[in-house]
Amino acid sequence: MGFFAFVRANPALGPLFLFAGGGCAAAVTYPMYLLRTHPEILVDRKNNPTPWNNVQQHQNIKFFNMYPDFYNCRKGLGIRPF
């Protein structure tokens, strides 16, 4: 008895497998997205040991931003030396 035959025999389990599979896929893809795009997560220390220094003041690195105008108004600001 194959998987699809099992789901055809028990149609109430179809949504369960659908949402459980979607949750597993999201649980794998979201951390991969974070590893690829966020500079504060270090995986490779040899090539670029300080990637957070490459982020500009007006660059948005957030996944979801409630206030996108904040980064747009910072484009004209210069970097102040300490």
Side-chain angles (χ1 to χ4, degrees), residues 36 53 63 70:
R36 288 183 60 224
N53 289 334
F63 182 67
F70 174 76

Side-chain angles (χ1 to χ4, degrees), residues 1-81:
M1 181 185 230
F3 176 73
F4 293 111
F6 178 73
V7 173
R8 268 192 232 121
N10 302 306
L13 294 177
L16 174 71
F17 289 128
L18 178 73
F19 286 107
C24 290
V28 170
T29 56
Y30 184 67
M32 296 306 270
Y33 164 78
L34 292 176
L35 286 173
R36 288 183 60 224
T37 58
H38 288 291
E40 65 267 8
I41 300 173
L42 285 178
V43 177
D44 184 15
R45 293 185 185 191
K46 291 181 182 177
N47 292 331
N48 192 3
T50 56
W52 50 86
N53 289 334
N54 298 335
V55 178
Q56 303 297 322
Q57 284 190 352
H58 60 83
Q59 185 178 0
N60 182 15
I61 60 168
K62 296 185 177 187
F63 182 67
F64 180 72
N65 189 9
M66 294 289 289
Y67 306 105
D69 296 333
F70 174 76
Y71 293 99
N72 292 334
C73 71
R74 294 181 65 90
K75 281 189 178 179
L77 297 177
I79 297 173
R80 296 184 215 164

